[in-house]
């Protein structure tokens, strides 16, 4: 089967705009979690989140060519990340026009719509803007971006909750391997919304303090927002363009666990199967894995299930692992792509990023995540986990390009 | 004008093998569920809306369960259950769905609760069911099936990607069968939003007059469709040779790509026995359909379907369900005929659909 390479990447998160800014924050252990300034929710003084430090109208200035892009937080965050991904790949416009675009999101344009929704459904107000009326779905943003960047050849949008962009990346890789496309831009975007923060609050799995992944006293997640995209290319495309890959996407696996509508099974069977499948797909063994960017949301259920899955799959030889959700918050759809980029940064810089706020090992499984930056860490293969609502689990495996 | 040869192909699907439809189920405004066929008596639209004809859910779930289930959770679960039962498969190798809008009634309910209770303590059920992939998870849960599972949410490409994904899985040898389908609903609130955006006709129109109305707008519909796809021919209703999706093509790109699509499958326009197309009575998009129907031979039947199921993001699901039954029974329902042809033996059926001129899709089916 043909190899799939990553040749470009771009991102925005609570740690800042751009891949380099994000890496700087990770190695200086600087968290992006705090109380929101821009989110219009009564809960914003109670629940810390990973918010991007710019009002929506300010985001235009980060775009070289804002064109006719809508003043939508979702669209602008994604556009900033896409601009960087395409620039790092050095992809000329004529190639962009041939590439596929697989986006993902969990609530689409909800942030733009929820404050004006009453007007939208009021029959006495006959005129509404098409941008707002049509944007309460997941495809609206994808199409805005596709038109703006000329990525209209083959477009799709995935929504599988917290594993959305991991599944977008998997679909992109499979479209390349299936011979349908040579180049695909894959990733995801979500913004903080009143809808989502109330949704997770109703599930009672949000921490009122900074989240503590894999800690015995963890008490839930912090939500975040962001966008991240990877440029994937086939082996043939690399040979033709001569571009040097940043890394290889060597393995991936989507495995849905039929256990509970929102919670993982206590023994983490879904997580186990997803990680195992990704390693097998790459033709590697558990001994080859240098580092794991865990899902690690810091919810009671996820972290123990993921820890049991790690123990079951790796036995006594669990590789160093960490969760960057303690920096960015849980960004939902883009989290898989954001953490894919962190995994590739680990490979490129031979370093591993630590978890923040960790103090005490979980008594059920004695596992210690990485708590200090590891340099010269001998990183060859990094596993990145995204486990979602509805049992939708996905793991990606990135390998060093020699 | 760009010549056909120099016009770049949208993409190629040469390596993707045909797949087979083993079973197909539909729940929509017409009673397509009871006999798994189009009924003789058709329901007409009320104020330009065709709404679900609901099956008797109490045969499947307790009153307590039903109370918690949203409309689409009910239609989706029951259509999936019967589709798998028809195929005699309880544990599919993959569950893949597409939906443009997901469960809007749950989304709206949760938005309403946020306002009403001032972001206080809220019931999480509508939030959970508003998640686009919740139905996939529940189908897996109901059948005790842990497997490949994903959800596409791209308007008029949602079902298409779920089917393409299944076709890729078979080509990769990762699955031998897959439950793929789509689900969509219309709510009073969303009807108002879409009305303001010009999606519906101004004056009420009868379904039978929809396709010759000569005005803009269509009638809204709802539908849930599930298909059991498999990689082998045994006991299949029909063969799905391929799918082609095009985003906002020009008329020229549309015909060139359609021709290429047929050619990739060793066919020419003259081989098409039935064109089943998505005319929705909105004159703004009539040219696309005219351009494609002008290509089919005299003997071919030209059928339409949206006057029966209404317009919605994943209305192509109705066409695919209907196509599988036409190919299996070798019968063409009169109520769908736009132009009766002479073709008796139906070997190749082409579906062409677009959703308000943006997402265009072709499906090639055969026996």
């Amino acid at each position: 089967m043909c190899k799939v390479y990553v040749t470009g990447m771009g991102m925005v998160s609570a740690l800042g705009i751009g891949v380099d800014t994000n890496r700087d924050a990770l190695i200086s252990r600087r968290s992006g979690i705090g109380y929101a300034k821009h989110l219009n929710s009564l809960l914003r003084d109670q629940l810390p989140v990973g918010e991007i430090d710019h009002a929506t109208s300010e985001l235009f200035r980060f775009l070289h060519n804002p064109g006719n892009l809508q003043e939508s937080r979702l669209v602008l965050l994604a556009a900033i990340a896409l601009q960087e991904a395409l620039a790092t790949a050095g992809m000329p416009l004529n190639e962009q026009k041939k590439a596929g675009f697989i986006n993902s999101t969990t609530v689409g344009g909800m942030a733009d719509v929820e404050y004006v929704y009453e007007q939208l459904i009021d029959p006495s107000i006959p005129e509404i803007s098409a941008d707002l009326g049509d944007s309460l779905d997941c495809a609206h943003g994808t199409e805005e971006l596709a038109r703006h960047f000329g990525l209209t050849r083959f477009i799709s949008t995935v929504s599988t909750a917290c594993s959305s962009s991991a599944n977008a990346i998997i679909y992109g890789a499979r479209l390349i391997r299936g011979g349908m496309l040579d180049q695909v831009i894959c990733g995801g975007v979500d913004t903080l919304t009143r809808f989502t923060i109330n949704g997770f609050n109703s599930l009672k799995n949000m921490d009122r303090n900074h989240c503590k992944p894999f800690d015995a006293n963890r008490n839930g997640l912090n939500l975040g927002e962001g966008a991240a995209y990877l440029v994937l290319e086939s082996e043939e495309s690399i040979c033709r363009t001569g571009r040097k890959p940043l890394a290889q996407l060597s393995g991936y696996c989507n495995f849905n666990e039929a256990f509970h509508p929102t919670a993982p099974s206590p023994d983490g069977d879904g997580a186990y199967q997803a990680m195992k499948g990704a390693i097998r797909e790459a033709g590697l063994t558990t001994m080859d894995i240098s580092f794991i960017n865990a899902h690690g949301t810091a919810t009671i259920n996820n972290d123990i299930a993921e820890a049991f899955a790690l123990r079951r799959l790796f036995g006594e030889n669990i590789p160093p692992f960490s969760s960057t959700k303690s920096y960015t918050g849980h960004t939902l759809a883009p989290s898989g792509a954001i953490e894919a980029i962190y995994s590739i940064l680990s490979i490129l810089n031979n370093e591993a990023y630590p978890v923040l706020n960790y103090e005490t090992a979980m008594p059920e499984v004695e596992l210690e995540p990485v708590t200090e930056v590891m340099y010269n860490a001998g990183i060859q293969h990094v596993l990145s986990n995204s486990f979602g609502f509805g049992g939708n689990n996905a793991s990606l495996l990135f390998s060093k390009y020699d | 004008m760009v010549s056909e040869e120099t016009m770049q192909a949208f993409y190629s699907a040469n390596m993707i093998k045909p797949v087979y439809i083993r079973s197909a189920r539909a729940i929509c405004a017409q009673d397509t569920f009871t006999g798994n066929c189009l009924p003789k008596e058709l329901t007409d639209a009320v104020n330009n809306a065709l709404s679900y004809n609901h099956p008797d859910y109490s045969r499947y779930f307790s009153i307590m369960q039903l109370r918690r289930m949203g409309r689409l959770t009910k239609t989706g679960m029951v259509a999936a259950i019967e589709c798998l039962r028809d195929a005699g498969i309880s544990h599919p190798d993959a569950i893949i769905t597409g939906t443009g809008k997901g469960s809007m009634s749950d989304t709206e309910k949760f938005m309403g609760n946020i306002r009403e209770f001032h972001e206080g303590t809220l019931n999480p059920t509508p939030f959970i069911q508003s998640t686009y992939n919740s139905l996939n998870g529940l189908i897996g849960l109901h059948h005790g099936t842990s497997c490949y599972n994903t959800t596409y949410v791209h308007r008029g490409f949602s079902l298409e990607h779920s089917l393409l994904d299944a076709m890729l899985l078979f080509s990769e040898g990762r699955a031998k069968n897959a439950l793929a389908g789509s689900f969509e609903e219309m709510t009073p609130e969303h009807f108002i939003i879409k009305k303001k955006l010009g999606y519906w006709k101004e004056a009420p129109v009868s379904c039978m007059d929809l396709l010759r109305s000569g005005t803009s707008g269509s009638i809204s519909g709802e539908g849930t469709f599930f298909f059991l796809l498999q990689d082998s021919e045994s006991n299949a209703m029909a063969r799905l040779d391929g799918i082609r999706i095009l985003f906002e093509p020009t008329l020229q790109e549309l015909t060139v790509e359609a021709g290429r699509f047929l050619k990739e499958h060793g066919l020419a326009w003259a081989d098409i026995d039935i064109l089943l197309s998505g005319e929705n009575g909105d004159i703004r998009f009539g040219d696309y359909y005219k351009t494609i129907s002008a290509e089919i031979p005299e003997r071919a039947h030209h059928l339409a379907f949206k006057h029966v199921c209404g317009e919605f993001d994943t209305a192509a699901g109705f066409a695919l369900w209907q196509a599988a039954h036409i190919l299996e029974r070798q019968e063409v329902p009169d109520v769908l005929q736009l132009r009766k042809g002479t073709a008796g033996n139906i070997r190749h059926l082409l579906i062409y659909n677009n959703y308000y001129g943006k997402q265009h899709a072709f499906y090639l089916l055969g026996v």
Side-chain angles (χ1 to χ4, degrees):
Chain A
M1 221 176 334
C2 98
K3 288 182 174 155
V4 177
Y5 295 104
V6 181
T7 57
M9 52 193 195
M11 69 184 303
V12 188
S13 80
L15 299 186
I17 289 174
V19 172
D20 291 343
T21 312
N22 272 263
R23 180 182 167 229
D24 287 347
L26 291 170
I27 52 181
S28 47
R29 299 168 43 91
R30 193 179 76 239
S31 167
I33 309 280
Y35 290 113
K37 287 184 245 165
H38 308 294
L39 172 67
N40 184 358
S41 164
L42 299 172
L43 300 174
R44 75 176 186 185
D45 300 328
Q46 300 166 37
L47 298 166
V49 293
E51 185 179 63
I52 289 158
D53 201 14
H54 299 282
T56 302
S57 59
E58 289 168 21
L59 294 169
F60 282 108
R61 70 182 165 91
F62 298 101
L63 290 167
H64 306 317
N65 166 28
N68 296 319
L69 281 176
Q70 181 191 346
E71 187 175 323
S72 149
R73 196 163 182 83
L74 184 91
V75 168
L76 294 175
L77 292 180
I80 293 166
L82 269 170
Q83 169 181 277
E84 186 185 18
L86 293 167
T88 50
M91 188 177 273
L93 198 64
N94 62 336
E95 275 186 49
Q96 256 164 259
K97 287 187 185 302
K98 284 189 272 179
F101 178 39
I102 314 296
N103 195 22
S104 68
T105 178
T106 66
V107 288
M110 178 64 81
D112 307 306
V113 171
E114 60 187 355
Y115 309 112
V116 294
Y117 188 71
E118 300 276 83
Q119 294 152 43
L120 296 183
I121 59 171
D122 182 347
S124 70
I125 303 172
E127 301 265 323
I128 54 171
S129 100
D131 273 349
L132 281 180
D134 256 349
S135 61
L136 191 66
D137 75 356
C138 295
H140 177 78
T142 306
E143 297 190 349
E144 280 276 303
L145 295 159
R147 287 188 200 101
H148 182 76
F149 289 99
L151 296 167
T152 54
R153 173 147 304 203
F154 185 94
I155 59 175
S156 186
T157 313
V158 175
S159 195
T160 56
C162 318
S163 59
S164 298
S165 62
N167 278 321
I169 291 168
I170 292 175
Y171 190 43
R174 292 171 57 226
L175 288 163
I176 287 176
R177 286 185 158 177
M180 288 177 71
L181 295 167
D182 264 348
Q183 300 157 326
V184 195
I185 291 94
C186 306
V189 54
D190 260 324
T191 60
L192 286 164
T193 71
R194 188 164 63 189
F195 187 88
T196 325
I197 199 167
N198 276 281
F200 279 84
N201 196 40
S202 76
L203 290 165
K204 300 186 169 54
N205 59 7
M206 304 242 279
D207 201 328
R208 287 175 180 265
N209 299 300
H210 287 213
C211 70
K212 299 166 74 111
F214 297 107
D215 191 281
N217 301 312
R218 70 195 178 283
N219 199 21
L221 56 79
N222 305 137
L223 280 178
E225 62 183 351
Y229 294 92
L230 305 183
V231 179
L232 303 184
E233 293 193 49
S234 67
E235 213 166 350
E236 201 186 304
S237 172
I238 296 295
C239 291
R240 195 176 56 239
T241 60
R243 270 197 282 276
K244 187 174 182 299
L246 301 167
Q248 184 194 347
L249 173 59
S250 51
Y252 43 79
C253 182
N254 159 311
F255 184 86
N256 178 265
E257 174 184 70
F259 176 74
H260 184 272
T262 59
S265 68
D267 62 352
D269 191 51
Y272 169 83
Q273 297 291 350
M275 288 191 282
K276 189 178 162 187
I279 294 169
R280 187 176 49 216
E281 172 88 22
L284 298 171
T285 70
T286 53
M287 299 299 284
D288 296 314
I289 305 304
S290 332
F291 181 68
I292 300 168
N293 186 310
H295 187 52
T297 55
T299 61
I300 309 281
N301 287 330
N302 175 79
D303 290 13
I304 192 66
E306 193 170 9
F308 275 122
L310 289 171
R311 180 65 82 207
R312 184 173 156 205
L313 183 61
F314 292 94
E316 292 307 308
N317 301 308
I318 298 176
F321 70 97
S322 167
S323 165
T324 47
K325 302 263 183 343
S326 48
Y327 295 79
T328 58
H330 189 358
T331 57
L332 307 177
S335 65
I338 286 175
E339 291 167 33
I341 293 177
Y342 293 163
S343 300
I344 294 167
L345 283 174
S346 280
I347 292 170
L348 290 172
N349 300 296
N350 201 19
E351 64 197 15
Y353 310 113
V355 70
L356 301 176
N357 316 320
Y358 173 85
E359 290 162 339
T360 316
M362 296 183 286
E364 305 92 329
V365 199
E366 295 260 320
L367 285 185
E368 293 276 339
V370 172
T371 55
E372 296 295 333
V373 183
M374 289 169 63
Y375 295 103
N376 300 314
I379 308 259
Q380 292 282 331
H381 305 283
V382 180
L383 198 57
S384 181
N385 289 339
S386 298
F387 304 143
F389 245 43
N392 266 130
N393 299 300
S395 290
L396 304 173
L397 182 51
F398 293 95
S399 297
K400 189 171 178 173
Y401 174 76
D402 297 308
Chain B
M1 288 283 270
V2 191
S3 82
E4 287 188 16
E5 288 71 30
T6 57
M7 195 184 288
Q8 212 161 38
F10 269 61
Y11 61 90
S12 159
N14 285 331
M15 286 163 69
I16 308 297
K17 292 179 287 189
V19 301
Y20 297 87
I21 300 172
R22 171 75 175 265
S23 59
R25 277 286 176 169
I27 300 176
C28 63
Q30 309 302 337
D31 180 15
T32 47
F33 186 73
T34 309
N36 200 17
C37 63
L38 199 59
K40 293 225 156 40
E41 293 287 313
L42 292 183
T43 302
D44 204 350
V46 178
N47 293 324
N48 291 339
L50 277 165
S51 305
Y52 272 123
N53 180 324
H54 288 284
D56 177 7
Y57 299 118
S58 67
R59 287 176 48 219
Y60 300 86
F61 299 102
S62 69
I63 291 167
M64 278 303 286
Q65 286 173 314
L66 288 170
R67 201 169 287 158
R68 292 170 66 92
M69 291 165 79
R71 294 173 86 220
L72 282 184
T73 308
K74 289 183 226 175
T75 60
M77 289 299 290
V78 167
I81 287 167
E82 289 302 331
C83 185
L84 287 170
R85 188 180 316 211
D86 287 354
I89 288 169
S90 52
H91 300 290
D93 294 344
I95 301 170
I96 313 170
T97 60
T99 179
K101 303 284 181 281
S103 180
M104 279 189 295
S105 45
D106 284 299
T107 305
E108 291 167 3
K109 192 187 225 173
F110 198 67
M111 289 171 87
N113 289 348
I114 289 171
R115 281 194 304 274
E116 189 181 346
F117 300 106
H118 306 288
E119 306 192 47
T121 308
L122 305 177
N123 170 12
T125 304
F127 175 66
I128 295 166
Q129 292 189 128
S130 78
T131 315
Y132 296 86
N133 66 325
S134 70
L135 179 63
N136 289 44
L138 291 173
I139 294 170
L141 206 54
H142 185 85
H143 291 90
T145 300
S146 296
C147 61
Y148 180 89
N149 187 310
T150 194
T151 306
Y152 295 95
V153 290
H154 200 109
R155 296 182 176 166
F157 288 158
S158 307
L159 176 65
E160 289 71 13
H161 281 294
S162 75
L163 299 166
L164 279 169
D165 188 334
M167 295 174 92
L168 271 174
L169 284 178
F170 298 164
S171 287
E172 293 161 358
R174 278 175 216 267
K176 296 205 157 300
N177 62 58
L179 179 71
S182 63
F183 53 96
E184 216 72 67
E185 70 172 334
M186 181 49 65
T187 59
E189 289 181 9
H190 201 69
F191 189 91
I192 292 170
I193 294 176
K194 285 243 183 307
K195 186 182 169 74
K196 293 181 186 183
L197 297 174
Y199 278 67
W200 320 131
K201 292 207 177 292
E202 288 289 332
V205 60
S206 163
C207 287
M208 287 304 135
D209 299 326
L210 177 70
L211 301 184
R212 49 171 183 265
S213 58
T215 53
S216 71
S218 187
I219 56 174
S220 94
E222 307 185 294
T224 299
F225 309 96
F226 272 99
F227 306 93
L228 194 286
L229 303 181
Q230 59 185 28
D231 67 349
S232 85
E233 206 178 339
S234 66
N235 298 311
M237 300 172 73
R239 186 183 68 239
L240 175 58
D241 292 312
I243 292 173
R244 182 68 116 237
I245 57 169
L246 307 169
F247 179 60
E248 298 181 349
T250 62
L251 279 176
Q252 193 199 6
E253 284 171 332
L254 186 72
T255 38
V256 170
E257 278 297 309
R260 274 199 187 129
F261 175 54
L262 295 178
K263 204 170 163 188
E264 267 178 29
H265 293 281
L267 298 178
W269 284 108
D271 297 311
I272 298 301
D273 302 304
I274 291 183
L275 170 67
L276 177 53
S277 62
E279 277 90 344
N280 67 357
D282 188 324
I283 50 159
R284 294 172 295 178
F285 313 109
D287 281 352
Y288 295 114
Y289 293 106
K290 278 183 206 138
T291 303
I292 293 303
S293 61
E295 301 283 345
I296 60 167
E298 273 296 302
R299 52 170 200 86
H301 304 276
H302 182 195
L303 314 182
F305 62 93
K306 284 182 184 159
H307 57 297
V308 173
C309 69
E311 178 66 292
F312 49 101
D313 296 57
T314 46
F318 184 91
L320 185 60
W321 170 80
Q322 188 63 69
H325 286 285
I326 289 171
L327 287 163
E328 184 185 38
R329 295 177 192 149
Q330 291 287 313
E331 283 173 15
V332 183
D334 281 337
V335 69
L336 304 182
Q337 288 277 11
L338 270 186
R339 196 202 70 199
K340 209 172 172 66
T342 55
N345 184 11
I346 299 151
R347 293 191 308 140
H348 301 292
L349 187 155
L350 182 70
I351 297 173
Y352 166 57
N353 182 50
N354 76 60
Y355 185 62
Y356 289 93
K358 301 277 197 302
Q359 305 89 27
H360 298 245
F362 292 96
Y363 295 60
L364 182 63
L365 291 106
V367 281

